[in-house]
Amino acid sequence: MSKAILLNRRSFAVLGGASLLSGCLASPDMLTGALTGGAGKDADFGQLIKSLHAALDKVADQTEKLFLVQASYAEVFGLKKRAASLKGQAIAIKRDGRTGVNFRKGEKETKGLLKDVQKKINGGAKLDAAAKRKLQNGMKDHARAIENAWVGGIMIAKVVIDAQSAKKPTFKDLDSLKYLREIVADGPMAMKFLETSKSTYESYSDAFSAEYAVKVPAKPKVKSLMGSGRGRA
């Protein structure tokens, strides 16, 4: 199988239509926390925005780790500008929490790094033992961060679903309107970023194990968030 196929086969896959919870690696206790709260036409947008922020806090913590892991890949392949940009985004999250996350930029950076790494591999990049160990350790952290972030992703998907099924606020209810706009904008964008993170992880897993005999962990067995929490980004 060619090097290009190894990466392209899984890159940026859209995992549509899957059950929100089926096959998720989160523990029962974690899922209980993710799924509590009311829904339907009487949903309270004040409570929904609190739930969204709590979920984004969980995702932000793991997103910082995802950026740092990807920065380590970039360093292995000599992609210094990519590494610096990813580290900068991680610093912003550490400093500002969820408000420091730019999911749109993060998704673009995640996809861009994968393309650049693919070019390096296709060009016959050779790695020494230390570089291979760095990739191996990074893959472990990468998989763990995705699994942990998925708990927040499940929470976000539920908030988006609840907001979509709730009675829409009137123009006089300015706070609820503001919360609704935030939910339908930030929620789907965060879920899209997580989907991209999972897809690119799978591409790295295939390529690093095949090209450099790197021992990689099992791929996170998490199902699509976008299929159940659709909304506009």
Side-chain angles (χ1 to χ4, degrees):
M1 184 178 291
S2 71
K3 296 173 183 176
I5 291 174
L6 281 168
L7 284 171
N8 287 333
R9 183 176 61 176
R10 293 184 180 275
S11 298
F12 323 137
V14 177
L15 308 175
S19 166
L20 177 63
L21 298 178
S22 175
C24 182
L25 294 179
S27 71
D29 288 342
M30 296 166 87
L31 289 180
T32 297
L35 294 176
T36 54
K41 63 183 180 62
D42 296 324
D44 183 324
F45 281 95
Q47 290 301 315
L48 287 179
I49 200 66
K50 289 180 181 178
S51 296
L52 177 70
H53 288 170
L56 288 173
D57 285 341
K58 290 181 179 293
V59 173
D61 180 60
Q62 300 306 315
T63 299
E64 179 190 351
K65 295 179 174 63
L66 288 171
F67 286 156
L68 290 175
V69 165
Q70 291 177 90
S72 73
Y73 300 161
E75 289 172 342
V76 165
F77 289 95
L79 301 167
K80 295 180 180 180
K81 290 184 178 180
R82 288 286 188 192
S85 179
L86 287 160
K87 287 181 178 179
Q89 292 184 71
I91 290 171
I93 298 172
K94 192 174 187 64
R95 182 186 64 235
D96 302 326
R98 69 172 180 275
T99 60
V101 184
N102 184 330
F103 288 114
R104 192 181 301 277
K105 181 180 179 182
E107 184 187 17
K108 182 178 180 181
E109 194 80 38
T110 296
K111 290 179 176 180
L113 176 63
L114 179 63
K115 288 182 179 179
D116 287 349
V117 170
Q118 177 176 316
K119 290 178 182 177
K120 291 287 186 178
I121 294 175
N122 291 346
K126 304 297 182 183
L127 302 182
D128 60 20
K132 292 178 183 179
R133 283 195 300 271
K134 191 169 185 177
L135 291 182
Q136 182 171 311
N137 292 333
M139 290 299 290
K140 292 177 183 177
D141 292 339
H142 203 162
R144 189 179 305 113
I146 290 172
E147 291 168 4
N148 291 338
W150 225 258
V151 178
I154 292 169
M155 295 168 66
I156 292 170
K158 184 178 186 302
V159 170
V160 172
I161 292 170
D162 286 355
Q164 289 175 337
S165 63
K167 182 179 179 181
K168 299 302 179 284
T170 66
F171 287 107
K172 294 181 180 180
D173 191 352
L174 297 180
D175 284 341
S176 292
L177 281 172
K178 179 180 69 174
Y179 298 152
L180 176 60
R181 284 195 293 268
E182 183 176 346
I183 290 167
V184 299
D186 293 351
M189 181 54 64
M191 289 190 291
K192 187 178 179 183
F193 169 76
L194 291 179
E195 296 277 15
T196 297
S197 296
K198 177 179 181 291
S199 174
T200 52
Y201 169 85
E202 291 174 341
S203 294
Y204 287 127
S205 178
D206 287 346
F208 294 165
S209 61
E211 296 301 323
Y212 302 114
V214 171
K215 294 181 180 179
V216 297
K219 295 169 185 176
K221 295 179 181 179
V222 290
K223 297 298 183 179
S224 175
L225 298 170
M226 298 300 288
S228 295
R230 290 193 182 281
R232 289 185 179 179

